[in-house]
Amino acid sequence: MFFYLRGIEIYLVNPSLIHILTNSNPKDISTLYYKYRAAFLNFGKRYGANTDIMVDIYQEAFIVIRKHAIQGRLEQVDSSFKTYLFGIGKRMIYNYHKQRKHTVSLDSEIHIINDKVEEVDFDLADEPSIEQKLLRTFFNKLGKRCQEMLTLFYYRGLTIEEIAKKSGYENTNVVSSQKSRCLKQLKEIINTPEQ
Amino acid sequence: MTPQELISKHIQNSLTPDEQIEFDRLLKSDIDFKKEVDFHETLKKVTEDKDDRDFRSLLSEIEVNPKPITKKRSVKWWYLAASIIVILGLTYFLTNRLSPSNEVLFAQYFEPYRNVTQPVVRSEVNENLKALAFNSYENAKFEKALELFDQMLANTEDPVILFYKSNVLLQLDQAEMAIPILTKDTATTDSFSEKRYWYLALAYLKTNNPQKAKTTLELLLNISDSEYKKKEAKELLKKLD
């Protein structure tokens, strides 16, 4: 279902929802979370997943949709937020049954149920490498402000200007020097032998 | 372009084609450069993983506590601050037109620092507490905010929370208790450094110690990479002379 207007795709995920997801304000996230929760759990019943499992799957689907929002992928999808969220969920339910080898009926049935929800593909997180696990331990020793700053730069891909604006820094020079200090601190932690 | 800049741009996927060629060349020929790139790429994965985990724990909290964390934007405190300033201003005009007392200067210049801590990265614990604390702070419920900040500080001495606690103490007329907090953390260099000096100067003013207030304002003016409150600091210094 694509909509084109003189060759320009009309994006169906509301930009304000993308903002809510990337901003992670607890109140807004909570509102969004409960907006679709009941319908999602109901949706899961058809596929034979119990409520506890469905709550877990709902949360995991929410994490994936947020990740896609951060990566800018949500801006390019041609379905609504709800359809996209449910599409991720549907794929997760399928994976869940597959892992547990519930092959008898559900495995095949899941694709047959005519619910108009297209499964959405997503990358499964790789098992973290040893380097990653080690670095995570050191990273957790950094102050919160440094963790925040490095996350904005490395994961979120925000520019120095955007970080200054978002985190209330006075100017970009402060952000640059703070970022260097944080990296230096991290390297010092790495190079300090455990007591 | 320095190797560091190349790596930063690589991490943010913003290398130009020419820079990409240079980047690839270094990656092949310079082992130290490669090590550095590996480090930054791993760090990128670590921050991603951490961000996801924090978001997951936020969702778990939301699942356990279905009542949305209420956050009413309130302008009450601005009204309060404005009326105090008007009243003190009038008092000043009626009583002492020539030299405003330190108390009056404090009231003229003090306003609690805005909440800039909207957390992007969430800690696994304490998040509800933090949201509640800053909700109270933003809604000018300073006694409640103080109580919640103290609860948070019982676990960890977060300089940012300490900074906001000192603001609450100033608001609650306990400047003498804000001073040790603000002086203690002046050694910490972060984006709050200059703000600490500003509020420390106001705290000295409030406790009738204009000499120390002046010294602190001068320290604030000496911070080279910030313009924070410099205009007000100069103004205030003149008034204190």
Side-chain angles (χ1 to χ4, degrees):
Chain A
M1 196 172 64
F2 279 88
F3 290 89
Y4 283 95
L5 179 70
R6 289 183 193 164
I8 301 166
E9 199 173 321
I10 299 174
Y11 305 129
L12 293 181
V13 174
N14 187 338
S16 66
L17 289 182
I18 296 177
H19 180 75
I20 286 173
L21 284 170
T22 52
N23 228 26
S24 304
N25 173 309
K27 189 196 161 201
D28 295 339
I29 295 287
S30 176
T31 309
L32 194 60
Y33 182 86
Y34 280 103
K35 191 170 176 187
Y36 300 111
R37 185 180 173 278
F40 190 88
L41 298 195
N42 212 19
F43 170 77
K45 273 187 195 160
R46 280 189 276 176
Y47 300 111
N50 74 35
T51 307
D52 284 348
I53 301 291
M54 276 312 290
V55 168
D56 283 350
I57 291 181
Y58 185 56
Q59 292 188 0
E60 288 307 310
F62 233 85
I63 292 166
V64 169
I65 203 168
R66 172 175 175 271
K67 201 182 258 294
H68 288 188
I70 289 170
Q71 292 165 346
R73 285 165 67 176
L74 228 47
E75 288 161 16
Q76 290 149 26
V77 302
D78 59 336
S79 60
S80 71
F81 176 85
K82 187 182 171 186
T83 312
Y84 197 76
L85 182 67
F86 280 45
I88 297 170
K90 191 172 172 181
R91 169 51 66 96
M92 284 179 168
I93 298 167
Y94 173 70
N95 289 349
Y96 165 75
H97 286 308
K98 202 171 150 190
Q99 271 170 14
R100 276 153 197 78
K101 305 204 186 324
H102 294 167
T103 45
V104 190
S105 60
L106 294 161
D107 194 351
S108 51
E109 202 180 305
I110 199 160
H111 298 291
I112 298 164
I113 292 178
N114 182 15
D115 55 15
K116 291 179 187 162
V117 174
E118 293 261 346
E119 282 177 39
V120 172
D121 237 335
F122 54 89
D123 306 323
L124 291 171
D126 296 330
E127 184 60 25
S129 64
I130 295 169
E131 289 81 9
Q132 229 170 299
K133 282 182 187 164
L134 263 175
L135 189 57
R136 184 165 73 199
T137 321
F138 298 130
F139 182 82
N140 287 337
K141 289 183 182 168
L142 279 176
K144 189 138 186 238
R145 196 121 186 123
C146 273
Q147 293 191 11
E148 229 175 84
M149 157 89 67
L150 295 176
T151 302
L152 289 178
F153 184 83
Y154 282 81
Y155 174 44
R156 302 293 192 88
L158 263 59
T159 61
I160 298 292
E161 288 79 17
E162 288 166 334
I163 295 175
K165 206 171 149 201
K166 191 175 176 105
S167 305
Y169 285 93
E170 293 302 316
N171 56 47
T172 51
N173 291 341
V174 182
V175 179
S176 294
S177 51
Q178 176 75 14
K179 183 179 141 265
S180 308
R181 267 201 296 272
C182 292
L183 274 176
K184 199 174 152 218
Q185 242 182 60
L186 180 61
K187 288 188 174 175
E188 277 166 7
I189 295 173
I190 295 170
N191 292 325
T192 311
E194 282 286 336
Q195 295 300 308
Chain B
M1 183 165 286
T2 65
Q4 268 314 326
E5 285 168 337
L6 278 175
I7 295 174
S8 286
K9 291 190 85 176
H10 162 74
I11 288 295
Q12 296 208 318
N13 300 321
S14 60
L15 286 170
T16 64
D18 283 348
E19 289 161 357
Q20 184 68 52
I21 293 169
E22 175 64 5
F23 179 86
D24 292 339
R25 189 189 64 77
L26 281 169
L27 200 61
K28 274 183 201 151
S29 59
D30 185 338
I31 184 86
D32 288 336
F33 182 78
K34 168 137 189 4
K35 273 188 193 161
E36 194 63 15
V37 172
D38 287 345
F39 168 76
H40 288 269
E41 284 179 344
T42 312
L43 181 55
K44 187 176 182 172
K45 284 184 188 148
V46 167
T47 55
E48 176 175 356
D49 178 61
K50 174 90 168 74
D51 203 41
D52 284 349
R53 281 164 186 260
D54 289 337
F55 188 66
R56 184 175 282 115
S57 57
L58 171 67
L59 291 183
S60 305
E61 273 172 37
I62 289 173
E63 177 63 38
V64 176
N65 176 18
K67 196 173 151 230
I69 302 154
T70 50
K71 190 180 173 188
K72 286 182 219 144
R73 285 251 158 235
S74 165
V75 286
K76 266 184 268 170
W77 77 2
W78 301 118
Y79 287 137
L80 186 69
S83 17
I84 291 171
I85 290 168
V86 169
I87 292 165
L88 289 174
L90 279 176
T91 321
Y92 156 59
F93 266 104
L94 294 173
T95 54
N96 187 354
R97 292 178 66 118
L98 291 172
S99 72
S101 72
N102 295 328
E103 187 81 16
V104 171
L105 280 176
F106 172 82
Q108 273 178 356
Y109 284 93
F110 174 72
E111 61 183 46
Y113 190 64
R114 70 186 197 281
N115 174 18
V116 295
T117 65
Q118 190 50 261
V120 182
V121 178
R122 289 168 191 290
S123 64
E124 317 241 323
V125 282
N126 262 356
E127 206 47 56
N128 259 341
L129 192 57
K130 187 172 182 181
L132 282 173
F134 279 102
N135 184 30
S136 306
Y137 184 83
E138 288 192 353
N139 287 303
K141 290 175 186 154
F142 294 110
E143 279 94 357
K144 185 74 192 161
L146 181 61
E147 190 189 317
L148 296 167
F149 283 146
D150 277 336
Q151 275 184 40
M152 290 171 77
L153 290 165
N155 300 330
T156 166
E157 284 226 330
D158 182 337
V160 175
I161 304 298
L162 278 168
F163 171 75
Y164 281 99
K165 179 184 171 181
S166 69
N167 258 263
V168 169
L169 289 169
L170 284 172
Q171 179 71 36
L172 294 175
D173 221 359
Q174 298 174 28
E176 65 292 341
M177 288 174 74
I179 291 172
I181 298 177
L182 290 162
T183 36
K184 178 177 154 290
D185 272 336
T186 42
T188 314
T189 39
D190 57 17
S191 70
F192 283 90
S193 305
E194 61 275 18
K195 284 127 204 157
R196 276 190 206 100
Y197 280 129
W198 172 248
Y199 286 99
L200 180 60
L202 290 178
Y204 282 135
L205 206 54
K206 176 86 178 167
T207 49
N208 214 5
N209 199 337
Q211 205 47 48
K212 281 194 167 175
K214 278 159 74 176
T215 322
T216 312
L217 288 170
E218 272 152 12
L219 286 169
L220 167 68
L221 289 170
N222 280 338
I223 298 179
S224 55
D225 57 358
S226 162
E227 282 309 307
Y228 178 78
K229 292 285 182 198
K230 283 207 168 152
K231 190 171 142 256
E232 287 86 349
K234 280 179 196 156
E235 227 176 75
L236 191 51
L237 264 180
K238 265 189 206 159
K239 290 185 188 170
L240 287 171
D241 270 336

